[in-house]
Amino acid sequence: MDWIVWRDVDSILRGAVIERAGDVRAQARRVFTEYPVRVAFWGSLLLSLVAVLGTATVGRDAALYIDIAQHITQQGAKVAWQSFDWPWFSFLLAGTHIALHIPLELSAYLWCGLFLAGTCALMVDCVRRQTPQAAGWACLVVLAMPAVNTFRNDIIREFGFWFFCTLTLWLALRWQERGGWVRANTIHLAIGAAVLFRLEAILLLPALGLWQLPNLFSSARRQRFVQFSLVPVVVGAIGLSIFDVFSSPRLADYLSMIDVRTIFAAFNLLSDQFANSLTYKYSRDDAGQIIFFGILATLLITFVKLMGPFAAPFALRRNWGVLRVYWRDYRPFAWAAALYVLVLVVFFMRQQFMNSRYMSFLNLLSVPFLALALAAFVGQFPRLGKVIIVLGLLVMLSNVISTGAGKTHFVEAGRWMAANTEPGAPAYFEDGRISYYAGRGYSLQVMTREQAMTEHAGDFRYFLIEARENEPWLVEWLAQHKQKIIARFANRKGATVLVVGP
């Protein structure tokens, strides 16, 4: 009898637990579907906080921007241009520090976190306005896609670039609904703000211009084209007549990159370099085609890899139909993505490399069609939808939780240098972040370690290098130059910084 009673109680408790779990799932689903924009914003801030708390050192770019901002606060604005030719992000950090007295590094993390949270919220709101049923998936994608979220612990200009570019597209969609001169002008203000972070943002002008071009040939909608085009034409004319806008080295370099002659010269040089490495004549004759399609294949592979698990729906050919919806409902995004592909191809030809940070904006522009594809895929395979959600959450955590060894040895070496040597002692820092943590600012590397320790060995008293103390070349160098290892710093994976001196 007691066993029967216990069995009934146990079944009641299990039923209550299952019902409670179902309520929790239903509540979570309701939050994602009804409040996706809020979830994207606050979820992004939380993920950024987790990522930053697990970071041991700032990146190279971060050290440079913060160092420039420090110089601005101490010596004025003019000093910024001596270290970097596009220091607007550093001006923002310096201004925040002066106005609010927030430490520069903290203000940099705050701005980056807010910019990325705003980017996520705006992107999800774009999808919510155009395709409400896909907004929840857009929220998951934008918070978990590796292309964007692997940089949450960094201090980089891309965060401001992404935010103002996404704001531009969000404003463009609103202007499409309501029109108006004021809304058209705010689009250009957002583009101008994005350009202050990365000059590539200027591509949004031709992208949106191509989007509006059909309105030029329609008498009923020609005013829309005039509303969008008048401001850049007037501002461009005034800028050319009053200011020497081409005097900026960075702008001049960008203009040279889009020069057709320069592009073909870079492509021919790359093709010749590749052809000279081939054995057979027939292969050398096709070097140009191999290079061109190889670049496109590299970009495509990187693009898919940076999608993470959200590329799964495209394994089915029928889901490719969402691209037509993307072109119809998100045409400003599509034009921007098409022009950015051209920018990436030109960059690849000129610089002969590509990294995920430069590719990430293309993936960000793809968030709407990824959300559409996921919504279609889950409609076909509801159970697999749960698997994608779990994978997405796991990727979301892996983006911000690092199990690798941090570069704590850079921090320790820099602090030791600050505490144990005189400030003016000439020193060579193989990594500029060691100099940053030594209180000497970020040092840009103008020579390699080999050059510093051979041709310019007499110019430095200390050498802070990444090496092991028993490496044969170092043992021989120490004996030859009558130097010794003064201090050694290593992280938990064994990466080592040595302080070498008399």
Side-chain angles (χ1 to χ4, degrees), residues 1-10:
M1 183 68 180
D2 293 340
W3 177 82
I4 295 174
V5 172
W6 174 250
R7 184 187 63 183
D8 293 340
V9 171
D10 182 60

Side-chain angles (χ1 to χ4, degrees), residues 376-452:
F377 183 74
V378 172
Q380 302 161 20
F381 307 100
R383 292 184 179 179
L384 289 181
K386 298 177 181 179
V387 175
I388 289 180
I389 291 175
V390 172
L391 290 176
L393 293 175
L394 291 175
V395 171
M396 186 187 300
L397 294 176
S398 69
N399 289 330
V400 297
I401 299 176
S402 175
T403 57
K407 298 183 182 295
T408 54
H409 51 309
F410 288 175
V411 181
E412 294 169 354
R415 290 174 178 170
W416 182 94
M417 193 71 181
N420 295 277
T421 64
E422 56 275 23
Y428 171 78
F429 300 91
E430 186 172 358
D431 193 295
R433 286 171 289 182
I434 305 173
S435 172
Y436 170 79
Y437 284 107
R440 299 190 177 197
Y442 183 76
S443 60
L444 293 170
Q445 298 305 320
V446 295
M447 64 180 75
T448 64
R449 181 179 67 183
E450 290 73 18
Q451 292 174 327

